[in-house]
Amino acid sequence: MLMENPTPHSQDAAAHDDSGFIEDNDKTQPVDEHANALRDLMLESQASDFLEPGPSNQSASTRPNKPQSRLAALRARVQEKPNQPDAWLELIAILKVLEDYDKIVETYEAMLKAFPNTPSIQLEYLTYVSESSEPSKFQTIATLFNRFLKVSPFVELWKYYLSHVRKLNSERNARDTVRKAYEFALNYVGHDQESGEIWRDYIQFLKGGEAPTTFDESQKMDAIRKAYQRAIVAPTALVEQLWNDYSEFENALNAQLAKKFLSDYQAAHAQARTAFLTLQNYTAALFPSSSSDDRQTPSLPRHPTFSSDDKVLMARWRQYLKWEESNSLGYDEKDKCKLHTRVQAAYRKAVVQMRFFPEFWYMAFFWTTSISSDATLSEGKRKEKKEEAMSYLRSGIEANPESFVLNFAYAEALEEAKENAEVHECFRKFIAVLHTQLEEMDNSQSSAANSQMNEASFNSQSSEPAKTTASKELSDRRTEYGVAWIAYIRFARRAESQRAARDVFAKARKDKWTPWEVYEAAALMEYHCTKASDVAMRIFERGVEKFPHEEELALRYLGFLISVNDDTNARAFFERIVPTFPPERARGLWDRWTRYEYQYGSLQSARDLEKRMAGMYPNEPPIKRFADRHKYLNVDAIAVRDLGFKFGRTGVASAQSGTVAAGSSSSSQAQSSQDVANSSQESAMSVVSSGSSKRPATSSQHGRDVGPPPAKKHRVRSPSVSEASGSGRHREGGSGRRDGSRGRDEPAEQVVNCPPVISWFMSVLPEASSYEGPVFKAEDMMHLLRNTVIPSSTGIGAPKPAPPLLPSSSLPLSSSPVPPYAGIAGRSSSPHTAHRSRSASGPGPSGSGQSQGHGHGHGHHPGSHGYGRGYVGRPPPAAPRRGRY
């Protein structure tokens, strides 16, 4: 027992105690009138915080019932949701005002059930009992210590225990009881960095012992020496002070022997001192020292919000635990048990303070499981560690019943132990918890929707983003719910039989919250485990019937039919399902089926399919579909060899004129293809719109077909603004803008509107990588540009201006990243534009055309002879010489 001999001395100690453990007749009590008045005042003050608004003439007789009603409400609240710290703290505060000892004790017990091993609750509980006037309080305290201490790694609780033992055993004949209590405490927490005061007090206690004989004196010195030698190798806050005291102690006894003893422990002490400094860096934020005001209110673990502060705290705990596991104190193989004790204490602290963070429960389970497989441990010790590892999972699930990692780990551990019935129970409880959460979330959203319908129309419109977010969250939770069912089905097949898996799937089908992913997982499991493709197809069909609006499930089913080489059913399913979706949602289905036709179908069927897609997606360039027909996996030779794009390992194509996402999944291709089709329209007006806002074009400029003046030498184009600031700033399948403005998904404050002259000047600059000449100072170049006089574009006798403002039908000047094949659609769409060497415009709205040279016509690649692929026929004529500027 922890309280072996303190109890017999409790009666004598109580009479002489001056630190709070005294009988009621020894206390100075206020007169009854003052006590009653003070109690009534506290009750009234407490009641005023919870009184509901009501008539001012409310009778006073109803006021004392208000704290009781609040008390009942708090009790109901903590029973329903016992993991809410604020409700517990408020409940215990009201009970203390009411001075109901039994209710307070009952509440403390319930709090410890909700927050086990929390030292702040334990200390407050012990303090309240010790300060009470109950006749059996010493026996109650002894019982509480027996419950708390052996599983508590917190030094403050052990300090309270030692203080209590010394108060009860202050007589000379009880010194042996106090010594045993110190040894008991140091065996559990002597390694802790906060145990320095316990070591110091223990040594002082040993020094204060009497030694009437020489033998007793020798025994006393040996005991003090052993205590010092244990204390100076523990990384505590007082390790340096204890070392100095030990040096004085040994030198006072024998200077010659002192050198030997000190040299033997010099290295271990230096390592402990260094370890303590490292520990301070790791644990300063994990175990902050609390003030006296903070100690009056228990500190309870909080639920995570995964904010930046929570993530920083989690990272610090991980670092600290990994440091403890790394054996930084250098324990030998024979002292491995000391290392295990340190790491075990660290994990016990973590799961108490981070109770609602499942990650640390799993880390504790994983480490303890690894220790249980250590062959150097005895069989009994290994079995004890296995049970401790399972207790971590059980306690973690009790604190976090909705945790996926803990429930899955617990189920696997039980499955490994061949306890299949327990695994079924684990999954049933877990699924029930998730089901309840979905119901609550759905009910809350329904209530919110009903309340919004009663509000004004403008309030309802303003709440649309909130409703969308809530619906997305519910959808995500439903998908996660399906993962639990899938894991359950896998276990049933793995541990029992395929028939058992089908039974579990039958239960899942009856659940209204089961998502389509469960159907797909069950179908694939049937096919891969039993080779029954017909059963898998029936499951897929049931899923498509239940989820007719899930295009992703339809895409998975189509892919499955293609994978099993059932082209007849695949074709029939495609023709049946694709009309049920709008074009923007059916794009993945079209892409998947076209890939199959391109690879394994006939040329005529591929062309017929392309005609259908052209009608479905009229803005998509034909060359893109043609290149897709000749691709294999992510190898697109047309884009690389004929259009100048380069593909990286991630499937992203890039050229000197831009980059584009390629080789993506069918669903992403559906989105990118539409952007590809619209990219030329978006970028064709970018420079024009930016320039026209400041310098309107004259009528003469609009009336002629004018392109950008070519440079004297055929140069490669300069990198665009987006390329200069960093690659990768492009939308998938979209195009950039030369005038410095960004895409739709990028911050609008970065938009830069350049005049046409500057845009033309930037377009003829070579790339930085091609420059091999002298390096100019940026400051001097900017000074020169600022002081350059540019001739006016108006006035008689003035030199001819630099390139005029481009009309909307002219060749776009965008040099930002663009996708392959953009703007190449419809070369022969208009005879008027086909004969223009500079515009090379394809068909477009209102005849303005989409620039054929959008991605390549103006991208001056090396060896392109000064004009891009967008020009048709002869090279553009040389522009007239401009005036010097």
Side-chain angles (χ1 to χ4, degrees), residues 87-292:
W88 284 107
L89 296 178
E90 186 178 354
L91 176 60
I92 202 69
I94 295 178
L95 289 175
K96 286 185 177 180
V97 173
L98 298 176
E99 298 181 1
D100 191 336
Y101 176 84
D102 294 335
K103 296 295 183 182
I104 292 174
V105 170
E106 179 183 350
T107 304
Y108 274 125
E109 291 290 344
M111 287 180 68
L112 287 174
K113 187 177 180 180
F115 306 97
N117 302 324
T118 304
S120 58
I121 303 177
Q122 293 172 339
L123 289 172
E124 187 173 306
Y125 188 10
L126 289 166
T127 303
Y128 175 77
V129 174
S130 66
E131 294 177 353
S132 68
S133 58
E134 293 294 317
S136 60
K137 65 179 181 180
F138 293 107
Q139 185 62 35
T140 302
I141 292 175
T143 303
L144 293 177
F145 276 134
N146 280 312
R147 285 172 47 194
F148 296 162
L149 289 177
K150 287 189 177 181
V151 293
S152 177
F154 296 97
V155 175
E156 56 264 34
L157 182 63
W158 288 91
K159 288 181 179 179
Y160 189 90
Y161 162 71
L162 293 173
S163 175
H164 179 71
V165 171
R166 295 192 67 169
K167 289 176 181 178
L168 294 182
N169 300 273
S170 58
E171 297 181 352
R172 291 290 181 180
N173 57 358
R175 288 184 60 84
D176 188 60
T177 301
V178 178
R179 183 187 62 80
K180 290 180 179 180
Y182 270 111
E183 287 292 338
F184 178 68
L186 291 171
N187 287 335
Y188 274 88
V189 295
H191 61 274
D192 195 279
Q193 60 177 333
E194 301 296 334
S195 64
E197 295 182 3
I198 298 180
W199 284 109
R200 182 191 60 191
D201 295 344
Y202 180 42
I203 293 172
Q204 293 299 325
F205 171 79
L206 293 177
K207 289 181 178 180
E210 295 181 355
T213 64
T214 304
F215 177 77
D216 293 336
E217 182 68 20
S218 176
Q219 293 291 322
K220 176 182 175 180
M221 294 300 106
D222 288 342
I224 296 173
R225 178 179 289 111
K226 290 180 181 179
Y228 267 126
Q229 290 173 353
R230 292 165 60 192
I232 61 177
V233 296
T236 65
L238 301 179
V239 64
E240 189 67 26
Q241 178 183 341
L242 291 171
W243 174 261
N244 295 332
D245 295 343
Y246 178 52
S247 300
E248 295 177 2
F249 170 77
E250 290 291 359
N251 284 302
L253 293 179
N254 189 322
Q256 296 298 326
L257 289 177
K259 293 182 180 180
K260 178 182 180 302
F261 285 127
L262 294 176
S263 62
D264 290 343
Y265 286 89
Q266 180 70 38
H269 166 69
Q271 192 171 19
R273 184 173 54 190
T274 303
F276 172 72
L277 297 177
T278 306
L279 269 174
Q280 278 188 314
N281 296 332
Y282 283 119
T283 62
L286 303 181
F287 310 109
S289 58
S290 58
S291 61
S292 59

Side-chain angles (χ1 to χ4, degrees), residues 633-656:
L633 299 178
N634 291 336
V635 180
D636 192 345
I638 293 178
V640 175
R641 300 294 298 272
D642 298 331
L643 301 178
F645 287 83
K646 298 179 181 178
F647 285 82
R649 293 185 179 181
T650 58
V652 176
S654 63
Q656 293 180 357

Side-chain angles (χ1 to χ4, degrees), residues 273-342:
R273 184 173 54 190
T274 303
F276 172 72
L277 297 177
T278 306
L279 269 174
Q280 278 188 314
N281 296 332
Y282 283 119
T283 62
L286 303 181
F287 310 109
S289 58
S290 58
S291 61
S292 59
D293 295 337
D294 296 335
R295 295 192 187 100
Q296 295 178 1
T297 302
S299 176
L300 303 181
R302 303 280 174 170
H303 284 269
T305 60
F306 297 106
S307 61
S308 58
D309 293 339
D310 282 348
K311 292 179 180 179
V312 169
L313 183 62
M314 293 168 66
R316 287 172 175 169
W317 270 108
R318 291 190 208 102
Q319 293 174 354
Y320 167 58
L321 294 171
K322 291 301 180 184
W323 184 87
E324 290 286 3
E325 291 182 14
S326 64
N327 191 17
S328 300
L329 291 173
Y331 289 112
D332 297 332
E333 189 69 22
K334 61 180 180 179
D335 294 330
K336 186 181 293 185
C337 61
K338 296 182 179 179
L339 172 63
H340 293 170
T341 301
R342 284 192 62 89

